[in-house]
Amino acid sequence: MSKKSYPYSPATALAQSLGSIDQETQAVVPPIHVATTYLRGKDNSYPTGNVYSRADNPTYKPVEALLTKLEEGHEALLFGSGMAAATAVFQGLRPGDHVLAPKVMYWALRNWLLNFATDWGLNIEFIDMTAAETVAKHLKTGATKLVWLETPGNPLWCISDIAAIAKFAHAAGAQVAVDSTCATPLLTQPLKLGADIVMHSATKYLNGHSDVIAGALIGARDDTYWQRIRAVRAQNGAVPSPHDAAQLLRGMRTMHLRVREACQTAQFIAEQLEQHPAIAQVLYPGLPSFAGHAIAQQQMHGGFGGMLSVRLIGGADAAIHVAAHTKLWKRATSLGGVESLIEHRASIEGEGTPCPEDLLRMSCGIEDRQELLDDFLQALP
Ligand code: PLP
C-alpha cells in the first residue's frame, strides 16, 4: 500500500487496521473466513481470486495489508509460524547456493539450517555479522544468493548494519533477508535500508499476547525469488488458521503502545542493572557501552527494543537462581508478550550455542517497570 493510498502514521494504521470496513456488513472488524474452498465462475475462472485455503485465505488480507504498509514493501505473506516463514526463504533457494548467516541468531533456525538446509545442498557459512566489512569478505560473487541477518540478534542482541551489508550483498548479486522480529516494523524498516525481504515471528510483538503462533514475510518486489517463496507457502501449506490470523490482527492493533512501553522498560532496567555489583554485563543496544550502539542509533527509531540480556558475576548458578526466584518475571521461553519473561538461555539452546552460561535473557512486557526491577533485585542470590 502506498503512502498516498493510506497517508496516516503507523499508530493510526495499526489502531484502525488501515481504516478498513467490511463492505457487506459495515463491521469495523474484518470477518473470519473459515471456508477451505471457493466456487469457480461459470467461465471457469475464480472471480475473487480465492481458490483453496491451503494457499491463501481472505482473513490474511487485512494483516498482510497492514504489514505491507508498515514495512513499506510490495507484498506481505502470513505463515503458520516464524519458523515456517524463515524456512520458506531458504527453501526458495537451489542446491549449491551459498548463504551467509550470523553466528548469533535464533537458535532453532540455526539448528534447522545445520540439520536440514545443509543436507538439502545449501552451502551455509555462519559468520560474525557485526561488521559489514566481514560480510563483504565472505561474499562470493555469483555464488552467494542470500545474506540472512537478524538484528538485534538473539540472545546477545548483536547489531548488523543493514544498509552497509545490503550494498555489499547486492554488488555480489545476493539478496538480503532480515529477521526483524525483535526490532518490530516500528523500530526498524529493513526494506527502506536496502534489504529485499523482512521476516517476523508474528508470535512475538506483532501479536503480543502469547496466544498465537504465526510468522510473516514482507518482500520488496515481485521477482522470481519472491514468487518461489510464495509457491513454497502455498504448496507446503505453511499457513496459519483463519482464527489465528484474526486474533493476530486484534493483537496488532495495540502494537505501537506495547512496543513503546517495552522499549522504555528495557532501557530503564538496562541502565539500572548496569550499575549493580552482582551484574557482570548488560547487553542492550540502547546502552552507550554496548558494541552495536552507534549502528543501532542509526537504524532503530523510537527505542532499542524490549529485549535485553544480563550476565551475572556468580555465573550459571547465580543466573538459574535469579530465574527461579523472580515472581513477576515469568520463567518461560519466547518474547514480545505483555507479560515479562526471563530465561536461562544456554539451557534451551544446548550444544554449540554462542550463549554464555551466566546469561539471562529478559523480555520486557508492559507491567510497572519499577516493580519489575524490584522483583529482579529481590531474586539475586
Ligand atoms: N526469529 C526470532 C528472532 C525468534 O525469537 C523466534 C522465536 O522465538 C523465531 C524467529 C521463530 O518464530 P516462531 O516461534 O513463531 O516459529
Side-chain angles (χ1 to χ4, degrees), residues 81-83 106 150 154 179 181-182 199 201 203-204 213-214 335:
S81 68
M83 278 296 286
Y106 175 55
E150 181 181 323
N154 243 304
D179 181 342
T181 299
C182 293
M199 176 252 148
S201 165
T203 313
K204 317 299 178 190
I213 296 278
L335 58 101

Side-chain angles (χ1 to χ4, degrees), residues 14 133 169 192 278-279 286 300 334 337 375:
L14 284 162
E133 294 70 28
K192 279 172 78 179
I279 304 294
M300 299 185 82
S334 199
D375 185 47

Side-chain angles (χ1 to χ4, degrees), residues 267-292:
Q267 184 77 41
F268 168 74
I269 289 180
E271 284 169 7
Q272 298 295 316
L273 293 185
E274 200 178 30
Q275 316 299 332
H276 198 283
I279 304 294
Q281 193 184 12
V282 178
L283 302 169
Y284 183 63
L287 291 176
S289 59
F290 186 75

Side-chain angles (χ1 to χ4, degrees), residues 22-45:
D22 180 48
Q23 285 311 302
E24 206 169 319
T25 61
Q26 297 295 295
V28 297
V29 174
I32 301 176
H33 293 270
V34 294
T36 55
T37 193
Y38 295 83
L39 203 62
R40 267 189 199 270
K42 284 192 173 150
D43 63 356
N44 215 32
S45 73

Side-chain angles (χ1 to χ4, degrees), residues 166-179:
K167 272 196 198 127
F168 286 129
H170 292 160
Q175 293 214 8
V176 175
V178 182
D179 181 342

